[in-house]
Amino acid sequence: SSGAHITSMYLLRRCEKPNFYSDHPKINLFIGFSGVYNVKKHYIYESWRGLHLVSPMGGAHGDEIEIFLDRSPSMILSKRISKEQAKHFPPSLLIHGLNDSVVPFPTTSEFSKNLIQKEVFVDICYLNEKDHFYPVGCLMFEENSIVEKKIDEVLRNLHRFGMFRLKQSK
C-alpha cells in the first residue's frame, strides 16, 4: 500500500514536470496494490480505529490533516494535473481486495475515477473476499495466481493496442 502511494506520487511529479524528467526512462505500466491514494481519508480511517497514534503517516506529515491533501495522489490528480499533463502517467493496473480492513478499497475506486477523468488507461481488479495482504502474497507464494494472470492480461491488451511492447520469446 505504501509502495503504491509513493510510486503514484513519483509518477504524478513526472506529470507536473515532464521536461525535468524527459531524460529518464519511460515507465510503461504502473501496478498499484491496495494503495493509500487519499492520505487524509486514510488517516481519518486510522483514527477511528485508534491507529493514528502509531501511524507513520502522522509523523511523516506533521499531523496536519490539511497537508495530507498535498500528499494524496487522488487529490493531486484531480486538482493539479491537467489532461495534457496526465498523458505522461503510464497505463495503470490497480488491484485491491474487497475485504481489505487495512486500506479499504474505496481509495482505489476514487483514484481510478480520477485517472479515467484524465483519460489515463486504467484497469481495476477487485478481488472478492481477499484482504490487504493477498495481492502481494499470492505473487510471492502462488504460481499462476489470479493476480499474475491479471497482470499478464493487461500487458497483452496494452501490447495489442500498441501501448506496450512485449518481448517475443525465441
Side-chain angles (χ1 to χ4, degrees), residues 14-29:
R14 286 175 64 130
C15 291
E16 287 182 309
K17 298 179 181 179
N19 293 334
F20 180 79
Y21 292 97
S22 63
D23 63 336
H24 287 62
K26 181 181 179 194
I27 296 172
N28 294 308
L29 179 65

mmCIF file of all heavy atoms in Angstrom, residues 14-29:
data_model
loop_
_atom_site.group_PDB
_atom_site.id
_atom_site.type_symbol
_atom_site.label_atom_id
_atom_site.label_comp_id
_atom_site.label_asym_id
_atom_site.label_seq_id
_atom_site.Cartn_x
_atom_site.Cartn_y
_atom_site.Cartn_z
ATOM 1 N N ARG A 14 6.301 13.428 -12.134
ATOM 2 C CA ARG A 14 6.755 13.384 -13.530
ATOM 3 C C ARG A 14 5.740 14.050 -14.456
ATOM 4 O O ARG A 14 6.115 14.666 -15.449
ATOM 5 C CB ARG A 14 6.996 11.940 -13.971
ATOM 6 C CG ARG A 14 8.255 11.346 -13.391
ATOM 7 C CD ARG A 14 8.421 9.882 -13.739
ATOM 8 N NE ARG A 14 8.583 9.656 -15.162
ATOM 9 C CZ ARG A 14 9.546 8.923 -15.698
ATOM 10 N NH1 ARG A 14 10.443 8.344 -14.935
ATOM 11 N NH2 ARG A 14 9.602 8.754 -17.011
ATOM 12 N N CYS A 15 4.459 13.927 -14.146
ATOM 13 C CA CYS A 15 3.422 14.589 -14.953
ATOM 14 C C CYS A 15 3.503 16.105 -14.814
ATOM 15 O O CYS A 15 3.318 16.833 -15.783
ATOM 16 C CB CYS A 15 2.027 14.127 -14.522
ATOM 17 S SG CYS A 15 1.641 12.429 -14.926
ATOM 18 N N GLU A 16 3.763 16.566 -13.588
ATOM 19 C CA GLU A 16 3.817 18.009 -13.351
ATOM 20 C C GLU A 16 5.034 18.662 -14.010
ATOM 21 O O GLU A 16 4.970 19.826 -14.399
ATOM 22 C CB GLU A 16 3.842 18.304 -11.847
ATOM 23 C CG GLU A 16 2.514 18.062 -11.167
ATOM 24 C CD GLU A 16 2.525 18.401 -9.704
ATOM 25 O OE1 GLU A 16 3.422 17.930 -8.972
ATOM 26 O OE2 GLU A 16 1.616 19.151 -9.283
ATOM 27 N N LYS A 17 6.133 17.913 -14.113
ATOM 28 C CA LYS A 17 7.371 18.475 -14.668
ATOM 29 C C LYS A 17 7.955 17.538 -15.722
ATOM 30 O O LYS A 17 9.051 16.999 -15.553
ATOM 31 C CB LYS A 17 8.382 18.694 -13.548
ATOM 32 C CG LYS A 17 7.918 19.681 -12.502
ATOM 33 C CD LYS A 17 8.951 19.845 -11.415
ATOM 34 C CE LYS A 17 8.435 20.834 -10.382
ATOM 35 N NZ LYS A 17 9.393 21.004 -9.295
ATOM 36 N N PRO A 18 7.238 17.331 -16.831
ATOM 37 C CA PRO A 18 7.707 16.365 -17.827
ATOM 38 C C PRO A 18 9.061 16.727 -18.441
ATOM 39 O O PRO A 18 9.843 15.842 -18.768
ATOM 40 C CB PRO A 18 6.602 16.341 -18.875
ATOM 41 C CG PRO A 18 5.854 17.605 -18.676
ATOM 42 C CD PRO A 18 5.991 17.963 -17.225
ATOM 43 N N ASN A 19 9.355 18.011 -18.568
ATOM 44 C CA ASN A 19 10.648 18.403 -19.143
ATOM 45 C C ASN A 19 11.806 18.030 -18.224
ATOM 46 O O ASN A 19 12.871 17.628 -18.686
ATOM 47 C CB ASN A 19 10.679 19.899 -19.456
ATOM 48 C CG ASN A 19 9.716 20.250 -20.568
ATOM 49 O OD1 ASN A 19 9.392 19.420 -21.412
ATOM 50 N ND2 ASN A 19 9.241 21.484 -20.565
ATOM 51 N N PHE A 20 11.597 18.153 -16.927
ATOM 52 C CA PHE A 20 12.639 17.801 -15.962
ATOM 53 C C PHE A 20 12.972 16.314 -16.039
ATOM 54 O O PHE A 20 14.116 15.913 -15.892
ATOM 55 C CB PHE A 20 12.191 18.177 -14.542
ATOM 56 C CG PHE A 20 13.203 17.841 -13.488
ATOM 57 C CD1 PHE A 20 14.304 18.657 -13.288
ATOM 58 C CD2 PHE A 20 13.059 16.708 -12.701
ATOM 59 C CE1 PHE A 20 15.245 18.344 -12.311
ATOM 60 C CE2 PHE A 20 13.994 16.381 -11.734
ATOM 61 C CZ PHE A 20 15.092 17.212 -11.534
ATOM 62 N N TYR A 21 11.963 15.502 -16.293
ATOM 63 C CA TYR A 21 12.143 14.044 -16.315
ATOM 64 C C TYR A 21 12.307 13.489 -17.732
ATOM 65 O O TYR A 21 12.306 12.286 -17.928
ATOM 66 C CB TYR A 21 10.950 13.366 -15.639
ATOM 67 C CG TYR A 21 10.882 13.625 -14.154
ATOM 68 C CD1 TYR A 21 10.064 14.623 -13.635
ATOM 69 C CD2 TYR A 21 11.647 12.878 -13.274
ATOM 70 C CE1 TYR A 21 10.012 14.865 -12.268
ATOM 71 C CE2 TYR A 21 11.597 13.113 -11.904
ATOM 72 C CZ TYR A 21 10.780 14.113 -11.416
ATOM 73 O OH TYR A 21 10.734 14.335 -10.070
ATOM 74 N N SER A 22 12.457 14.360 -18.718
ATOM 75 C CA SER A 22 12.473 13.894 -20.106
ATOM 76 C C SER A 22 13.607 12.930 -20.421
ATOM 77 O O SER A 22 13.487 12.094 -21.313
ATOM 78 C CB SER A 22 12.511 15.083 -21.066
ATOM 79 O OG SER A 22 13.712 15.816 -20.867
ATOM 80 N N ASP A 23 14.721 13.013 -19.704
ATOM 81 C CA ASP A 23 15.833 12.100 -19.973
ATOM 82 C C ASP A 23 15.769 10.827 -19.129
ATOM 83 O O ASP A 23 16.646 9.984 -19.208
ATOM 84 C CB ASP A 23 17.174 12.804 -19.769
ATOM 85 C CG ASP A 23 17.391 13.256 -18.331
ATOM 86 O OD1 ASP A 23 16.384 13.440 -17.608
ATOM 87 O OD2 ASP A 23 18.556 13.439 -17.939
ATOM 88 N N HIS A 24 14.713 10.683 -18.337
ATOM 89 C CA HIS A 24 14.528 9.480 -17.533
ATOM 90 C C HIS A 24 13.889 8.383 -18.398
ATOM 91 O O HIS A 24 13.177 8.681 -19.350
ATOM 92 C CB HIS A 24 13.620 9.762 -16.326
ATOM 93 C CG HIS A 24 14.280 10.573 -15.263
ATOM 94 N ND1 HIS A 24 14.725 11.856 -15.478
ATOM 95 C CD2 HIS A 24 14.574 10.288 -13.983
ATOM 96 C CE1 HIS A 24 15.257 12.333 -14.353
ATOM 97 N NE2 HIS A 24 15.181 11.396 -13.440
ATOM 98 N N PRO A 25 14.099 7.124 -18.038
ATOM 99 C CA PRO A 25 13.465 6.032 -18.805
ATOM 100 C C PRO A 25 11.940 6.133 -18.745
ATOM 101 O O PRO A 25 11.370 6.568 -17.745
ATOM 102 C CB PRO A 25 13.932 4.766 -18.100
ATOM 103 C CG PRO A 25 15.062 5.171 -17.230
ATOM 104 C CD PRO A 25 14.917 6.636 -16.950
ATOM 105 N N LYS A 26 11.309 5.733 -19.830
ATOM 106 C CA LYS A 26 9.850 5.714 -19.882
ATOM 107 C C LYS A 26 9.339 4.593 -18.974
ATOM 108 O O LYS A 26 9.898 3.506 -18.937
ATOM 109 C CB LYS A 26 9.382 5.460 -21.314
ATOM 110 C CG LYS A 26 7.887 5.455 -21.444
ATOM 111 C CD LYS A 26 7.434 5.176 -22.851
ATOM 112 C CE LYS A 26 5.915 5.162 -22.884
ATOM 113 N NZ LYS A 26 5.399 4.590 -24.089
ATOM 114 N N ILE A 27 8.277 4.884 -18.258
ATOM 115 C CA ILE A 27 7.628 3.880 -17.421
ATOM 116 C C ILE A 27 6.405 3.404 -18.189
ATOM 117 O O ILE A 27 5.537 4.195 -18.543
ATOM 118 C CB ILE A 27 7.267 4.451 -16.044
ATOM 119 C CG1 ILE A 27 8.552 4.832 -15.304
ATOM 120 C CG2 ILE A 27 6.444 3.441 -15.240
ATOM 121 C CD1 ILE A 27 8.347 5.570 -14.025
ATOM 122 N N ASN A 28 6.351 2.118 -18.462
ATOM 123 C CA ASN A 28 5.321 1.564 -19.338
ATOM 124 C C ASN A 28 4.053 1.125 -18.630
ATOM 125 O O ASN A 28 3.016 0.994 -19.267
ATOM 126 C CB ASN A 28 5.882 0.377 -20.118
ATOM 127 C CG ASN A 28 6.955 0.810 -21.076
ATOM 128 O OD1 ASN A 28 6.755 1.720 -21.860
ATOM 129 N ND2 ASN A 28 8.102 0.178 -21.002
ATOM 130 N N LEU A 29 4.125 0.874 -17.337
ATOM 131 C CA LEU A 29 2.954 0.377 -16.613
ATOM 132 C C LEU A 29 3.125 0.654 -15.130
ATOM 133 O O LEU A 29 4.204 0.462 -14.571
ATOM 134 C CB LEU A 29 2.785 -1.133 -16.839
ATOM 135 C CG LEU A 29 1.610 -1.813 -16.134
ATOM 136 C CD1 LEU A 29 0.275 -1.303 -16.666
ATOM 137 C CD2 LEU A 29 1.697 -3.334 -16.321
#
